[in-house]
Amino acid sequence: SALGAKIEDEASLGSKYSKQIKELQSRLEELDEELNLERANRGKAEKSRAMLKKDIEDISSRLEEAGSNTATQVELNKKREQELARLKAELEELNISHEGTLAALRMKHNNTMSDLGEQIDNLNANKIKAEKDKAGL
């Protein structure tokens, strides 16, 4: 009876560990999906960056073409330069923000992967121990 209870406890532990492994594997898949989403977002950000860069180049070339020294032209050039500076600052902010987010996600992903690896190793060791204990009974 005590032996039966021990076997039942070991079987329960094995089932619990199997469930934990499945949950951890599910979490790992979720993290991979998050990483893929972040990669897609990075692609979008790079595309936006390229478009903004082209806009900046277009504005710069228009500034060069508009070389008139009239008061109206000078004022227009000032506005364009301000817009160019604003776009450059916006682009730089987007790049910094994106890189920070990407670095944080990479760190989170790496830490989680490490934690999950340790948890899986521990569960496997416990499972092996439970199987040895069960075999020794």
Side-chain angles (χ1 to χ4, degrees):
S1 176
L3 183 61
K6 176 81 172 165
I7 289 172
E8 194 174 295
D9 287 347
E10 295 296 332
S12 173
L13 274 176
S15 173
K16 179 183 171 188
Y17 290 145
S18 293
K19 183 179 177 185
Q20 286 179 341
I21 288 172
K22 286 178 185 174
E23 289 172 358
L24 290 171
Q25 287 171 336
S26 174
R27 179 66 180 135
L28 184 60
E29 289 174 10
E30 288 173 15
L31 288 171
D32 278 339
E33 288 175 12
E34 284 181 31
L35 184 60
N36 288 335
L37 182 61
E38 181 56 30
R39 284 182 178 145
N41 287 340
R42 181 184 180 132
K44 290 177 186 175
E46 292 294 333
K47 185 176 180 182
S48 295
R49 178 182 178 194
M51 288 171 39
L52 284 173
K53 186 175 180 180
K54 184 182 181 310
D55 289 346
I56 289 170
E57 290 170 1
D58 289 346
I59 290 171
S60 294
S61 69
R62 280 189 263 149
L63 280 173
E64 290 172 9
E65 291 172 9
S68 170
N69 286 334
T70 64
T72 305
Q73 195 64 41
V74 169
E75 191 62 31
L76 183 59
N77 286 347
K78 284 181 185 177
K79 287 180 182 178
R80 286 181 177 166
E81 287 171 359
Q82 289 170 352
E83 178 67 9
L84 179 62
R86 187 190 64 76
L87 286 171
K88 283 182 180 178
E90 182 179 318
L91 177 61
E92 190 60 31
E93 283 179 23
L94 285 171
N95 284 335
I96 290 169
S97 171
H98 175 69
E99 291 301 323
T101 301
L102 188 60
L105 278 173
R106 278 189 185 133
M107 184 183 301
K108 179 181 173 186
H109 177 73
N110 289 339
N111 289 342
T112 304
M113 293 295 284
S114 175
D115 290 346
L116 290 175
E118 289 175 17
Q119 289 179 25
I120 288 172
D121 291 345
N122 289 338
L123 288 172
N124 285 332
N126 287 337
K127 184 178 177 184
I128 290 169
K129 183 180 181 298
E131 289 171 359
K132 283 183 183 177
D133 289 349
K134 185 178 175 182
L137 293 178

